[in-house]
Amino acid sequence: MMESSLGISDSQCLATVRGHELRNGQKEPRLLSLLECSGQFKLDILANPEAIVLSPVPQLSIPINNHFQIVREAEEALLIDISINTTVRVRLQGEQTPELLLELQDDVHTQSFLQHVTKAKQQAEKKSSQPRKMEPVVPVPVKDCIPVPPQRGTSKSTSNKINNSTLVKPPNTDSGLSMTTDFGFEEKKNQQNRIVAQREPPPPPLPPLPPRKGTYTPSNNLTAGPTTKERPPSAQNSKSVRNELQSVTPSNYTMRQAMMSSHTGSREGLLKYRLNKKEKEYVDIKNFRFFIGTWNVNGQSPDSSLKPWLCCDPDPPDVYALGFQELDLSTEAFFYMDSSKEQLWVDAVERSLHHKARYKQIRIIRLVGMMLVVYVNEEHQHHIREVASESVGTGLMNKMGNKGGVAVRFVFHNTSFCFVNSHLAAHVDDYERRNQDYKDICARMSFHLLEYPPLSIVKHDVVIWLGDLNYRLCFPDAGEVKKLIASKELRKLQEYDQLNIQRNTKRAFTDFMEGEINFWPTYKYDAKSDRWDSSGKCRVPAWCDRILWRGSSVKQLHYRSHMELKTSDHKPVSSLFSIGVKMVIEQRYKKVFEEIVRDMDRLENDFLPSLSLTQREFTFENVKFRQLQRRSFLITNDGQVACTFAFIPKLNDSQYCKPWLRAEPSEGVLDPNEAMEIFLEVYVSKDSVMLLNSGVDKIEDILVLHLDRGKDYFITIAGNYLPSCFGTSLETLCRMKKPIREIPITKLIDLGEDSCIEKEKCRINFLLYNDGTEDKPLRIPKEVWLLVNHLYTKACQQEDLFQTPGLQDDLQNIIDCLDTSIPESIPGSNHSVAEALLIFLEALPEPVLCYELYQRCLECSHDSRLCKQLISQLPRAHRNVFRYLMAFLRELLKHSIDNNLNANLLASLFASLLIRPPPNLAGKQTQHDRQKTNDFILGFLMGGDED
């Protein structure tokens, strides 16, 4: 429990606790503070717990009086998203405030806080029934303490003083209201993979997560490290402009420290870390059976029983993890719409699970055509905790989910598992694109669990990777391949297998293992048959569908295909594993727990933590848009006691760094004499490029590395940024006759100011300026013309244009080319140029259809005449670009037989880029709104030429 004052007016803070408000399956962080002022109690709630650093003013203050109610909800056992820690749910309601449902950790800290609140309510009730001369009894703050080792059975609250009476709602109060709406905050987009349901009571011990630390070893293998990619949402939402570091006074430092690292929280984290280090002293290994299956179903619906695949062993598995690809090939599914086929396949699966056991679904996740569903034998359901899921699209612009991966992770007993189902890039020669997809998934797949830092794929004890990996055979003669298969010379063929070659050359899946393949290639067959592909393309057979793993105590019992199933042009594959799971022995755990607590008490009384850093100043030269730069330094614990560190926000900041910067890891624990490598990454995405282009922001920042119970270390970041036409407004670009890198930054700022004036003069004659006057703007930016002209002259008949992603190297070359020159031709493949055009449109600070006209766009989407009138009211540059793009897209549709494009697909893709909701509405755009924007674009694609 925190005993410091929060500095809110003259109030004294008696207790604080962190928690989450629950609303429609979403969890929003909250900070609850019990304060006393002149004998009056109130409960202050901060909608953003970190806001205390910026301004210690609560967004909601509930007086504790006769109208104040706090009710603890009965516990409810759900299997989905079971946590390692039990939680307690309470409902709060004040005299004139909406009812709030909050979830708090069920630990001694929360118990103490609830007891304080209950006592405060009792004091308030006494005051209302007795003369005012009575002085309120202020509860004594409970000092920090370590939780007693949890006991077996469902955890129940020890606080029986909370009022369990039914809440009486005030008149005209909507109980559905939450702090999100009452405080005027934007409602966050509901993300399936962030939803955390009610939690199942965990087994006795706390199974520590795999440590985010380790003795320093040079980081040569960065396979799973960051690649050129967009920042995660947590970084993208950071503030773009920062104030300089201010001096830290004792009072406001206490306030920051209370929010960023409560002593109780850091002590519990250190305790978990040490328990993990001594795990071998209190665990035994027991083997469990895991059935892993993968099938590319080619957009088909189930037409037969799946028992030949899922029920092919005499004994039932303990866990099923089943991955599907190409579940739905429709255009609607391609753009993240719901798929009716999901439930058809789930039903087929559940009818075919092993009949000798009963199973519970613990998580299902789908991204377009990729689906992963995990079942556990109901005998083990209470030993499953911390279930989370995540998805990563590696299709066009790293967003489209036709390719990518979905994953589910959880802790079973004391072992963490991660299952990844992926569908990588197609086509025989695109193995480099498949490698890139794999690296992107590794870098961008991150699981977010409450009270824990983000977990990557590799931060798990066991990882099993399954799916249509699409690696082919480097053997062009299909006839010869079929002869070798018929003569059972599979090992010879596997020498030409692209996945084996990439693994052996350490380009992909380097740390994964795969069992021996003794089954025929699983692709490609004629539908409903066992015949090899007899189409005109006559594809070479290949082992596209694979199952790999990494981790200890993993033994593969079977690896096979299932030829009986003929629904798809792929055959399903399965693998049965025997995996050693760490089982906690309670008595040994309790002994280790108590020893650690005694040792921590002794060390904390005798020593203070200390760190040494090998470097504190870093310079990043020539930073470019979408080009990652990395630096690293070592931190070493040179003290006598383990230390907990974390990068924390500076005063007046809500994030510890600017949006283009990241430190990895951003927090951790070090034992004495232990070292850790910290990576600093600079990456300018679409969210930070505009301010850097305009000179409002610079490559300058100061990181604060905070040591719990110790001092702060300051790390200086400096560098220079090279402006890009990507992220520059259309008006500014129209005034640039030269490449942007040839224009001084002061001139760029002037051009930006001029473009704001130009935007107001939107009713200008739509004519190309040919009078040679230097200050007359271009009709459209030269960069747009160069990209579109390349595609118009060279790519109209390109197969799967605007559906296949480009290569990262190509994209960077295209960006550099447009920033530094006016090229005669654009480098890179047609797919790369197409993606570069989309990235350009996405990075525009103001979309082609301006924010101010967004609502009118929705209103007139049904009427083509009104749509054309709206376009005529756009600023000149925006109007010209819109008409130019529509003319180009109509031309592409004339070649739809070759490029596989259709009007609906183009409308969906370009509507999301050309018609973006204003920032304050971005999280509130409904599916109906998106359909209206699609209809708006569709009207121009299906209509005639513009006047």
Side-chain angles (χ1 to χ4, degrees):
M1 186 199 69
M2 303 176 200
E3 300 179 0
S4 60
S5 169
L6 296 181
I8 301 176
S9 67
D10 295 325
S11 302
Q12 178 186 2
C13 180
L14 303 177
T16 63
V17 68
R18 285 175 182 259
H20 292 82
E21 184 196 0
L22 305 183
R23 177 175 178 265
N24 297 329
Q26 285 286 85
K27 289 194 175 187
E28 298 294 336
R30 302 288 183 251
L31 177 70
L32 285 68
S33 302
L34 176 64
L35 296 104
E36 184 266 340
C37 180
S38 303
Q40 302 295 319
F41 297 94
K42 63 178 180 176
L43 188 63
D44 281 356
I45 303 179
L46 281 154
N48 177 6
E50 312 306 339
I52 192 72
V53 179
L54 178 63
S55 174
V57 178
Q59 284 84 8
L60 184 63
S61 185
I62 307 176
I64 298 180
N65 50 31
N66 282 341
H67 299 280
F68 176 81
Q69 297 285 349
I70 177 170
V71 176
R72 175 165 180 163
E73 285 202 334
E75 292 181 327
E76 181 180 349
L78 288 182
L79 183 59
I80 298 178
D81 216 337
I82 303 164
S83 171
I84 185 173
N85 295 318
T86 54
T87 57
V88 56
R89 293 189 175 194
V90 296
R91 291 186 181 273
L92 296 177
Q93 190 168 29
E95 186 172 4
Q96 295 181 341
T97 56
E99 179 182 303
L100 303 177
L101 176 59
L102 300 167
E103 184 176 85
L104 313 173
Q105 287 297 315
D106 193 2
D107 54 22
V108 292
H109 191 73
T110 298
Q111 304 292 345
S112 172
F113 178 85
L114 294 177
Q115 289 172 1
H116 278 70
V117 174
T118 303
K119 289 179 181 179
K121 178 172 172 58
Q122 292 171 351
Q123 292 296 320
E125 291 172 344
K126 288 180 182 179
K127 288 188 65 176
S128 65
S129 61
Q130 297 181 12
R132 183 169 287 275
K133 63 181 181 180
M134 290 185 61
E135 291 294 329
V137 179
V138 180
V140 178
V142 179
K143 294 187 178 181
D144 299 333
C145 56
I146 290 297
V148 178
Q151 303 301 314
R152 286 202 181 274
T154 303
S155 173
K156 299 295 182 183
S157 172
T158 59
S159 174
N160 298 320
K161 299 182 181 180
I162 300 178
N163 184 3
N164 288 307
S165 61
T166 304
L167 287 178
V168 180
K169 298 179 182 179
N172 302 323
T173 298
D174 183 359
S175 63
L177 291 176
S178 74
M179 293 171 64
T180 316
T181 54
D182 275 47
F183 293 171
F185 296 146
E186 291 181 25
E187 180 182 348
K188 292 187 178 179
K189 183 179 179 182
N190 183 22
Q191 300 180 26
Q192 174 190 4
N193 305 319
R194 297 289 193 269
I195 293 177
V196 182
Q198 285 181 304
R199 302 215 170 165
E200 189 84 16
L206 299 174
L209 290 171
R212 295 178 57 81
K213 53 145 315 280
T215 303
Y216 164 65
T217 54
S219 56
N220 296 324
N221 181 10
L222 300 179
T223 302
T227 61
T228 304
K229 63 185 186 301
E230 296 299 315
R231 279 276 184 248
S234 59
Q236 290 180 359
N237 296 336
S238 302
K239 293 170 65 177
S240 298
V241 183
R242 304 297 181 97
N243 297 322
E244 292 300 319
L245 183 64
Q246 301 181 16
S247 60
V248 181
T249 63
S251 60
N252 58 31
Y253 176 76
T254 302
M255 190 166 57
R256 286 169 64 231
Q257 192 177 35
M259 295 303 99
M260 297 314 302
S261 59
S262 76
H263 182 57
T264 299
S266 63
R267 184 177 170 91
E268 290 178 358
L270 183 58
L271 176 60
K272 292 178 182 179
Y273 164 75
R274 289 198 164 188
L275 281 169
N276 186 64
K277 294 271 286 187
K278 292 179 173 287
E279 186 180 53
K280 291 183 179 179
E281 298 181 21
Y282 59 83
V283 300
D284 287 342
I285 302 297
K286 181 179 178 180
N287 291 325
F288 292 86
R289 294 162 67 89
F290 286 69
F291 182 99
I292 312 300
T294 177
W295 194 7
N296 183 321
V297 297
N298 192 33
Q300 304 299 309
S301 299
D303 57 4
S304 61
S305 171
L306 304 184
K307 286 187 176 181
W309 177 34
L310 305 180
C311 195
C312 57
D313 298 303
D315 297 320
D318 298 290
V319 175
Y320 276 101
L322 307 175
F324 293 86
Q325 307 84 40
E326 294 191 1
L327 200 74
D328 195 329
L329 298 177
S330 66
T331 301
E332 291 75 19
F334 182 76
F335 288 99
Y336 305 99
M337 306 292 183
D338 289 336
S339 170
S340 60
K341 293 184 179 179
E342 174 180 326
Q343 194 58 45
L344 292 176
W345 280 102
V346 170
D347 291 343
V349 165
E350 293 182 350
R351 288 193 299 266
S352 303
L353 297 177
H354 207 289
H355 62 279
K356 292 184 180 180
R358 295 174 61 87
Y359 294 89
K360 296 289 186 182
Q361 184 189 112
I362 64 171
R363 182 55 64 91
I364 182 172
I365 180 174
R366 182 178 65 84
L367 176 66
V368 189
M370 291 173 288
M371 182 175 76
L372 177 63
V373 58
V374 179
Y375 297 90
V376 63
N377 188 319
E378 65 177 12
E379 295 178 358
H380 308 308
Q381 62 178 300
H382 295 295
H383 300 291
I384 300 285
R385 301 175 298 282
E386 292 190 11
V387 181
S389 55
E390 188 57 86
S391 64
V392 168
T394 60
L396 203 63
M397 301 171 66
N398 276 336
K399 289 184 177 181
M400 298 306 175
N402 56 323
K403 296 295 186 290
V406 293
V408 172
R409 63 90 56 197
F410 56 83
V411 174
F412 182 33
H413 286 285
N414 225 47
T415 299
S416 59
F417 288 86
C418 180
F419 301 96
V420 184
N421 171 33
S422 67
H423 191 190
L424 307 185
H427 306 302
V428 175
D429 297 328
D430 280 350
Y431 60 87
E432 289 185 355
R433 178 71 225 189
R434 290 187 272 280
N435 294 347
Q436 182 174 301
D437 285 351
Y438 160 74
K439 294 175 182 177
D440 283 348
I441 294 170
C442 286
R444 295 166 50 208
M445 186 78 76
S446 182
F447 301 95
H448 296 263
L449 298 168
L450 297 178
E451 310 304 331
Y452 291 109
L455 281 174
S456 64
I457 291 173
V458 297
K459 299 288 186 179
H460 292 83
D461 297 324
V462 176
V463 180
I464 298 181
W465 198 303
L466 56 136
D468 180 0
L469 307 187
N470 250 326
Y471 287 97
R472 311 298 176 89
L473 294 177
C474 296
F475 205 120
D477 190 336
E480 185 64 24
V481 169
K482 293 172 185 176
K483 288 181 182 179
L484 290 171
I485 294 172
S487 59
K488 299 183 179 179
E489 296 188 53
L490 300 183
R491 286 196 177 183
K492 181 177 174 112
L493 273 180
Q494 288 166 24
E495 296 175 5
Y496 301 91
D497 179 76
Q498 291 178 346
L499 178 56
N500 290 338
I501 294 171
Q502 299 309 302
R503 288 176 58 219
N504 292 334
T505 56
K506 301 188 182 302
R507 295 177 182 174
F509 294 96
T510 303
D511 298 328
F512 284 83
M513 295 188 291
E514 185 181 23
E516 183 177 356
I517 297 178
N518 293 315
F519 51 87
W520 282 20
T522 55
Y523 176 83
K524 176 181 184 178
Y525 295 87
D526 288 342
K528 314 295 182 183
S529 76
D530 290 330
R531 297 188 306 272
W532 297 114
D533 178 28
S534 60
S535 68
K537 294 184 178 180
C538 192
R539 290 179 176 85
V540 177
W543 287 281
C544 292
D545 310 282
R546 313 287 274 269
I547 299 172
L548 300 92
W549 77 91
R550 56 173 285 170
S552 58
S553 301
V554 180
K555 180 182 179 181
Q556 189 176 57
L557 304 179
H558 300 289
Y559 192 23
R560 59 217 165 178
S561 66
H562 300 268
M563 300 293 291
E564 306 95 318
L565 296 176
K566 304 175 183 180
T567 307
S568 171
D569 56 354
H570 290 248
K571 298 297 182 182
V573 172
S574 72
S575 178
L576 185 65
F577 292 98
S578 175
I579 301 179
V581 175
K582 294 175 285 189
M583 309 271 290
V584 174
I585 309 303
E586 185 177 353
Q587 288 303 114
R588 283 154 50 187
Y589 170 85
K590 184 176 180 180
K591 180 181 177 182
V592 172
F593 184 100
E594 292 171 348
E595 289 175 353
I596 292 174
V597 170
R598 285 195 297 269
D599 187 51
M600 288 173 60
D601 289 340
R602 179 182 60 82
L603 290 174
E604 287 186 359
N605 291 330
D606 295 342
F607 302 102
L608 290 176
S610 175
L611 280 180
S612 64
L613 287 67
T614 57
Q615 189 175 348
R616 300 195 190 190
E617 296 182 356
F618 295 87
T619 301
F620 292 84
E621 297 181 350
N622 299 330
V623 175
K624 300 178 181 179
F625 175 61
R626 287 175 57 94
Q627 185 167 316
L628 178 70
Q629 290 195 32
R630 304 182 87 197
R631 304 283 189 275
S632 68
F633 64 100
L634 285 180
I635 60 173
T636 304
N637 183 347
D638 56 5
Q640 303 298 314
V641 63
C643 62
T644 302
F645 70 88
F647 289 94
I648 65 171
K650 301 182 288 294
L651 289 176
N652 300 329
D653 283 348
S654 61
Q655 302 291 332
Y656 73 82
C657 66
K658 291 186 177 182
W660 42 261
L661 178 63
R662 185 173 69 171
E664 177 61 33
S666 60
E667 57 185 50
V669 180
L670 286 175
D671 282 331
N673 300 317
E674 192 168 17
M676 179 185 293
E677 189 173 21
I678 304 291
F679 288 93
L680 299 177
E681 301 174 357
V682 169
Y683 180 79
V684 178
S685 70
K686 63 181 177 61
D687 302 291
S688 50
V689 65
M690 180 190 69
L691 293 176
L692 288 166
N693 278 341
S694 63
V696 174
D697 195 10
K698 297 180 180 180
I699 304 297
E700 294 176 357
D701 203 357
I702 296 177
L703 299 180
V704 181
L705 180 60
H706 175 68
L707 192 58
D708 186 60
R709 297 176 55 247
K711 64 178 183 179
D712 289 349
Y713 301 82
F714 300 100
I715 299 168
T716 303
I717 308 297
N720 69 296
Y721 171 74
L722 300 179
S724 175
C725 59
F726 288 72
T728 301
S729 71
L730 294 175
E731 291 85 2
T732 300
L733 291 175
C734 283
R735 291 181 171 273
M736 293 184 188
K737 308 298 176 64
K738 299 179 180 179
I740 193 169
R741 297 271 176 83
E742 295 183 13
I743 301 175
I745 185 63
T746 53
K747 180 64 174 175
L748 286 178
I749 296 174
D750 292 340
L751 287 174
E753 293 174 350
D754 291 344
S755 68
C756 293
I757 299 173
E758 171 66 19
K759 184 178 174 182
E760 299 300 323
K761 302 175 181 178
C762 59
R763 299 186 182 279
I764 298 177
N765 189 19
F766 183 68
L767 295 172
L768 178 63
Y769 294 103
N770 290 317
D771 58 3
T773 307
E774 187 66 24
D775 61 350
K776 293 294 183 182
L778 300 171
R779 184 177 169 187
I780 62 172
K782 58 186 178 303
E783 294 81 5
V784 174
W785 182 85
L786 287 167
L787 292 169
V788 171
N789 186 64
H790 175 101
L791 296 172
Y792 175 71
T793 57
K794 299 182 180 180
C796 280
Q797 298 177 345
Q798 176 69 56
E799 182 181 4
D800 293 335
L801 189 68
F802 288 118
Q803 299 169 71
T804 300
L807 292 172
Q808 294 298 335
D809 289 343
D810 282 355
L811 291 171
Q812 194 57 57
N813 290 336
I814 293 170
I815 294 171
D816 285 341
C817 179
L818 294 176
D819 287 340
T820 59
S821 65
I822 304 178
E824 293 184 3
S825 62
I826 303 291
S829 69
N830 291 336
H831 294 305
S832 297
V833 176
E835 185 170 1
L837 174 62
L838 301 181
I839 292 172
F840 177 91
L841 296 173
E842 183 187 41
L844 286 173
E846 179 97 2
V848 175
L849 197 145
C850 302
Y851 287 135
E852 61 191 30
L853 296 179
Y854 174 75
Q855 287 294 347
R856 289 182 57 192
C857 165
L858 300 182
E859 294 166 1
C860 71
S861 60
H862 65 284
D863 189 324
S864 60
R865 180 182 58 83
L866 294 178
C867 292
K868 292 180 180 180
Q869 288 181 2
L870 184 65
I871 296 302
S872 68
Q873 296 171 22
L874 287 173
R876 183 186 60 86
H878 291 249
R879 181 176 65 246
N880 294 349
V881 168
F882 183 88
R883 290 175 170 171
Y884 185 58
L885 289 173
M886 292 302 104
F888 165 62
L889 296 181
R890 286 195 296 270
E891 189 65 28
L892 286 181
L893 290 175
K894 296 178 182 178
H895 304 273
S896 58
I897 295 178
D898 298 311
N899 57 36
N900 296 329
L901 289 170
N902 60 63
N904 284 325
L905 190 152
L906 286 177
S908 298
L909 177 58
F910 278 85
S912 65
L913 303 172
L914 303 179
I915 313 175
R916 305 199 303 264
N920 64 320
L921 297 177
K924 302 178 181 179
Q925 188 184 38
T926 66
Q927 181 60 44
H928 187 54
D929 293 340
R930 284 191 286 272
Q931 186 58 52
K932 286 183 177 180
T933 62
N934 293 354
D935 292 343
F936 187 97
I937 299 296
L938 197 59
F940 287 93
L941 296 183
M942 304 303 293
D945 294 339
E946 291 296 320
D947 294 334

